Amino acid sequence: MYKTESVSNIEAFAEKIHLSKRELEMIFDVTPECISVINKDHQLIRVNKSYALSAGKPIKEILGRKCYKVFWNLDKPCEDCPVQRAFQTGNQESSKKAVLCGKNEVRYFETCAYPVRGETGEVVRVIEFIKDITDEKRIFEQLIRTEKLASIGIMTAGIAHEMNNPLSGISGTAVNLLRMPEKYGLNEKGISRVTAILESAARATTIMKDLLHLSRKQNSCSTLVDINSLIVKTVNAIHLRGAGEVQRRFNLDESIKLISCDPSKIEQVIINLATNSMQSILEKKARCLESGKDFSGLLEITSVLQDDKVLITFADNGVGIPEENRSKVFDPFFSTRPAGQGTGLGLSICLKIIAEHGGRIYFECFEDSTVFSIVLPRERKTQLDSAIHL
Amino acid sequence: MIGFFMKKQKDLSSYRILIVDDEKAIRMMLFDYLEVIYQVETAETGEQALDLLEKSRFDLVISDINMPGISGPQLLREVRRRYPGTKTALITAYNIDEYIKTAKDYLITNIIPKTVPFNFAELDSIIYGLLTGDIFGLSRHLLQDGRMVDRICIKSTKEAREAREHITGIFNRKFGSSGDMKLILDEIITNAMYHAPVRDDGAEKYQEFTEIELEPEEYVHIEYGYDTEKYGVAVNDYLGRLTKETVLLKIERQITGEGLLDDSGRGIHMSRLFADRMVINIDPNKRTEVVLINYFSNKYRGYKPLYLNEL
């Protein structure tokens, strides 16, 4: 009697342990973060399913191998390895790193290492959490940019409005003078000077219109648009001196079909991004020509359907964006082009338009290419949405 | 065409226009341009304008909105009170959408935008309409250069459809685009055919979305045309039931983002939203004309004006 009871107790106890083990394994495996247990020699003792999935190998092929080889495909531990530090300090350690995935994509990871102590208090294992923070990082960056833009917008809208009045007077008066030069005693030289005034006023107006565009909450309408044909049509309509020499390659995902967006706005974004790319290519071409090197420019435009989103990328092999300029690219009035060519507002406007569409815009710089990406939701949710196609 | 020009030369020099703006360059610009045709005087403030009006008759007062002292809308209200025969219009560099409420409150129906470059041709046709009361017809809005105007008369749903295809087809072939004209035309023609005709009890005579034939005395008349800088259409019904109050209300609802789902007046909403210019002319109980214009280049785009004339 006593014996049986004890056995059934133990069985019940074992069952409890099994259950709790399954629970823990389940938690371990369903977590989207990559979790691993690592020893002092960087060997993987245990990994979860997310880890194996990200590493692209079955779990049994991973265990016992070096973490840096399996996950990062490196031959020696990462610089600034948090696991190593956790072993040394006995504290929780973390680090962030950027990794090139595929040809045109950088992804960002955050790694946290938690020390596990043995009986003697010495760190015997480290549990490592690796989290893909690419999306978070991009959303956060865009948030900052959009906010910066909003405050500049409010400030400049007032100025731009006030400018419109005198500008209208300046250009209108110049038009009158040119229309009847004799009446105002204007000779040939006078006419050319007044023409210059008119041109300057027109340029100031362009800047002002762009500024107002940035700050104004505009009426926007959504319709269903074949985004691929919009891309091709728009890019081919760009008339830029020398653009004919730039090879264009379209890799368009035909499964995208229709997305809901404001076509005239998206067209503006496409024009901006493609023009920037082409100008960058043409600049590189000019530089290569000077130094007698061979160069053929390529603008590659890709569209991919990703679940309920569409990713559109513009990759060029032009001069690229110097490190020191990268943080300023989306700032209003930031331009590397000579005065008079562009207002430096193009990308700020793109940012605003894409944000209005509930999408994202970002860029990545590689050794021999620069890639601007926009992500658009297929369904745009706005107040006007349902009404336009009545 | 020649007739139009001759009339201008002959009759217009007796009209007197008062320009009120605190910005000297604008005053001078408008003076220089208009004095070739009309008699023009200028004032720096609303108070100065009222003094000038006291001394002599003016047929038209064009005033800036924001000025030191009394504002443009206040001035125009006072002008209409004292001199009922004098026509009025506002002119502004600001976003006209922000003044639609003011327009409703002060019953101002014409607000001219100060575009850069200034749109003198548009100023011409608007002033001409205000002064002479000769407001109807698409050709008044087109330049002489490269002007073409044609007309279609519609008496049934089928003809309406064909006319729409024909007109947008011409614009597409000639200019590579018809903007959103097809969409707007659909709305405006629907308004003219289905919503304008009413029975004696006030109920609409024809039911929307059904194929109809208008009665012998009823018809909708469409003009379409272009010049070297723009193309446009004018849709006419000969009932004249629209009122300026309704139009102002509809535009206000458009600007606040409401109104798109309204059963009536959606055509006005969409016209103002999608066309570069919308001009509405009303001869009460006789004729309503909705003129829609798109420019080829975007230099005159930007703030949309308010052009609404009721005889």
Side-chain angles (χ1 to χ4, degrees):
Chain A
M1 196 66 181
Y2 172 80
K3 201 179 166 188
T4 336
E5 198 177 278
S6 142
V7 167
S8 82
N9 255 346
I10 290 171
E11 275 173 359
F13 198 59
E15 176 56 33
K16 267 188 185 167
I17 292 176
H18 271 292
L19 187 64
S20 106
K21 178 175 181 274
R22 281 203 300 276
E23 279 170 11
L24 287 175
E25 275 174 355
M26 182 63 98
I27 294 171
F28 191 57
D29 279 335
V30 297
T31 314
E33 274 113 80
C34 304
I35 308 174
S36 58
V37 181
I38 301 172
N39 71 11
K40 259 200 157 103
D41 296 327
H42 294 281
Q43 276 174 316
L44 292 161
I45 307 294
R46 196 192 272 268
V47 299
N48 71 345
K49 279 191 179 153
S50 302
Y51 193 100
L53 205 66
S54 294
K57 297 179 186 77
I59 292 181
K60 60 180 181 200
E61 283 179 29
I62 291 175
L63 297 180
R65 295 182 59 199
K66 303 279 189 189
C67 59
Y68 47 82
K69 183 68 193 170
V70 172
F71 204 88
W72 307 110
N73 198 21
L74 295 171
D75 293 324
K76 56 180 198 309
C78 313
E79 280 174 39
D80 189 34
C81 169
V83 175
Q84 213 161 15
R85 277 191 282 131
F87 271 114
Q88 283 159 6
T89 64
N91 297 326
Q92 176 190 330
E93 299 284 349
S94 69
S95 75
K96 286 178 186 164
K97 70 190 296 178
V99 176
L100 190 61
C101 295
K103 202 173 126 223
N104 284 340
E105 204 187 0
V106 173
R107 298 204 73 84
Y108 298 88
F109 295 90
E110 183 177 41
T111 309
C112 290
Y114 302 90
V116 181
R117 292 171 196 277
E119 300 263 324
T120 58
E122 188 197 359
V123 179
V124 288
R125 302 266 194 272
V126 162
I127 299 179
E128 185 194 52
F129 279 71
I130 304 172
K131 190 177 170 191
D132 185 337
I133 53 165
T134 314
D135 291 344
E136 259 168 62
K137 189 174 175 341
R138 284 184 187 144
I139 289 169
F140 183 67
E141 282 170 355
Q142 178 148 337
L143 212 63
I144 291 178
R145 284 187 212 123
T146 317
E147 247 164 50
K148 194 147 102 188
L149 212 58
S151 55
I152 294 173
I154 291 165
M155 219 171 61
T156 43
I159 304 169
H161 269 126
E162 291 300 332
M163 295 255 297
N164 203 13
N165 207 22
L167 273 175
S168 181
I170 292 169
S171 79
T173 304
V175 169
N176 281 334
L177 288 172
L178 294 177
R179 196 192 301 253
M180 295 170 283
E182 307 83 16
K183 185 173 167 186
Y184 301 99
L186 218 54
N187 61 14
E188 200 75 359
K189 199 168 174 180
I191 289 174
S192 86
R193 299 298 181 271
V194 174
T195 310
I197 292 176
L198 196 61
E199 280 161 8
S200 295
R203 215 171 65 227
T205 307
T206 314
I207 298 175
M208 203 197 62
K209 276 185 184 160
D210 279 359
L211 262 180
L212 285 172
H213 191 109
L214 261 184
S215 57
R216 196 165 47 203
K217 206 179 163 298
Q218 280 196 322
N219 278 325
S220 176
C221 56
S222 290
T223 39
L224 288 175
V225 174
D226 176 357
I227 189 74
N228 286 338
S229 59
L230 185 72
I231 293 172
V232 175
K233 189 187 92 185
T234 310
V235 171
N236 286 335
I238 294 174
H239 293 291
L240 203 66
R241 189 192 293 260
E245 299 159 40
V246 178
Q247 197 199 332
R248 296 158 203 185
R249 191 184 295 155
F250 295 97
N251 297 318
L252 305 175
D253 183 345
E254 281 177 15
S255 64
I256 298 176
K257 309 233 157 45
L258 303 175
I259 72 163
S260 114
C261 67
D262 182 338
S264 64
K265 296 269 179 74
I266 296 302
E267 195 177 275
Q268 209 177 338
V269 174
I270 297 171
I271 289 175
N272 259 300
L273 296 182
T275 307
N276 281 348
S277 291
M278 286 188 202
Q279 276 171 336
S280 173
I281 288 169
L282 292 172
E283 207 176 319
K284 174 93 172 253
K285 196 178 170 81
R287 281 187 205 172
C288 286
L289 208 66
E290 259 171 44
S291 54
K293 277 189 229 143
D294 256 2
F295 173 72
S296 79
L298 174 65
L299 167 59
E300 192 169 359
I301 299 160
T302 310
S303 70
V304 190
L305 183 62
Q306 298 181 327
D307 303 323
D308 54 348
K309 295 186 183 71
V310 174
L311 169 72
I312 303 163
T313 58
F314 295 77
D316 70 70
N317 58 352
V319 287
I321 305 166
E323 188 98 44
E324 66 271 21
N325 289 345
R326 287 179 194 167
S327 62
K328 291 181 271 185
V329 160
F330 288 101
D331 287 357
F333 294 115
F334 176 75
S335 177
T336 54
R337 317 227 171 275
Q341 287 184 28
T343 57
L345 290 171
L347 284 174
S348 313
I349 291 172
C350 292
L351 176 63
K352 181 166 184 270
I353 291 172
I354 297 299
E356 278 171 357
H357 278 77
R360 283 188 283 125
I361 179 166
Y362 53 88
F363 67 95
E364 277 140 8
C365 301
F366 301 93
E367 205 162 305
D368 50 4
S369 71
T370 307
V371 183
F372 272 82
S373 306
I374 51 181
V375 179
L376 284 173
R378 281 175 90 187
E379 291 277 342
R380 182 184 181 196
K381 301 271 181 282
T382 67
Q383 189 196 346
L384 290 171
D385 201 316
S386 58
I388 291 295
H389 344 275
L390 283 176
Chain B
M1 263 167 248
I2 299 289
F4 178 72
F5 193 63
M6 293 296 287
K7 199 161 156 194
K8 239 180 173 174
Q9 291 294 312
K10 207 172 72 189
D11 296 332
L12 300 179
S13 62
S14 64
Y15 286 114
R16 291 175 49 75
I17 301 175
L18 177 58
I19 306 290
V20 192
D21 200 310
D22 58 327
E23 181 86 28
K24 190 177 178 189
I26 300 278
R27 272 201 317 274
M28 293 298 102
M29 166 188 91
L30 293 174
F31 178 88
D32 289 347
Y33 183 78
L34 294 173
E35 67 137 12
V36 177
I37 305 169
Y38 307 99
Q39 296 176 45
V40 189
E41 288 195 44
T42 61
E44 234 179 291
T45 61
E47 289 80 357
Q48 208 185 336
L50 288 173
D51 284 347
L52 283 170
L53 281 152
E54 196 111 309
K55 289 185 198 119
S56 57
R57 166 194 65 87
F58 285 93
D59 299 287
L60 171 65
V61 179
I62 300 176
S63 172
D64 188 24
I65 294 183
N66 297 309
M67 295 180 295
I70 65 171
S71 74
Q74 285 170 326
L75 169 68
L76 296 193
R77 180 154 70 183
E78 193 53 29
V79 170
R80 281 204 312 274
R81 193 181 67 78
R82 293 190 198 176
Y83 317 99
T86 301
K87 297 287 190 295
T88 57
L90 286 175
I91 185 163
T92 185
Y94 283 70
N95 186 352
I96 289 168
D97 286 359
E98 284 161 24
Y99 292 104
I100 296 296
K101 200 184 169 317
T102 312
K104 256 179 70 193
D105 295 345
Y106 289 82
L107 261 187
I108 287 157
T109 52
N110 283 282
I111 308 182
I112 302 163
K114 291 176 188 168
T115 54
V116 188
F118 194 82
N119 195 338
F120 286 111
E122 184 170 275
L123 184 75
D124 267 342
S125 75
I126 294 306
I127 288 184
Y128 179 81
L130 281 168
L131 287 172
T132 61
D134 177 7
I135 52 176
F136 292 106
L138 179 64
S139 60
R140 293 190 42 251
H141 302 275
L142 299 177
L143 304 174
Q144 281 178 296
D145 287 351
R147 177 158 67 197
M148 191 294 294
V149 178
D150 209 344
R151 289 158 190 84
I152 300 179
C153 191
I154 294 176
K155 290 195 63 67
S156 71
T157 314
K158 183 168 163 282
E159 284 175 4
R161 219 165 21 235
E162 287 165 0
R164 204 171 55 228
E165 293 300 323
H166 176 69
I167 294 169
T168 50
I170 286 180
F171 292 155
N172 279 328
R173 276 195 301 281
K174 200 152 170 69
F175 312 119
S177 158
S178 56
D180 293 294
M181 277 294 180
K182 199 164 180 170
L183 200 66
I184 319 171
L185 266 180
D186 195 28
E187 289 288 337
I188 294 292
I189 297 175
T190 303
N191 280 350
M193 285 184 69
Y194 292 88
H195 298 312
V198 285
R199 290 195 299 258
D200 294 339
D201 63 358
E204 281 174 13
K205 206 159 151 185
Y206 303 106
Q207 205 189 342
E208 204 180 336
F209 309 118
T210 56
E211 294 273 333
I212 58 163
E213 295 243 3
L214 296 176
E215 284 183 26
E217 74 278 9
E218 295 170 342
Y219 62 97
V220 171
H221 174 211
I222 305 179
E223 289 184 302
Y224 61 96
Y226 47 82
D227 61 25
T228 48
E229 58 174 22
K230 57 188 178 289
Y231 61 88
V233 294
V235 179
N236 289 271
D237 71 55
Y238 292 84
L239 297 157
R241 284 186 54 233
L242 199 62
T243 63
K244 61 183 175 196
E245 287 80 6
T246 311
V247 175
L248 286 173
L249 179 74
K250 289 302 169 190
I251 295 176
E252 193 186 20
R253 283 178 69 74
Q254 172 236 321
I255 288 158
T256 53
E258 300 159 16
L260 194 50
L261 297 171
D262 287 7
D263 270 345
S264 68
R266 202 171 59 220
I268 294 171
H269 178 123
M270 289 172 75
S271 301
R272 191 155 193 286
L273 197 61
F274 292 126
D276 290 338
R277 293 289 186 272
M278 171 181 80
V279 185
I280 295 185
N281 296 314
I282 303 166
D283 190 354
N285 298 317
K286 287 203 186 94
R287 182 177 181 183
T288 307
E289 179 189 55
V290 180
V291 182
L292 306 165
I293 287 166
N294 279 343
Y295 283 92
F296 300 140
S297 104
N298 59 7
K299 67 178 179 179
Y300 296 133
R301 282 182 200 147
Y303 296 140
K304 296 198 174 163
L306 175 69
Y307 296 139
L308 169 57
N309 299 298
E310 193 176 287
L311 293 178

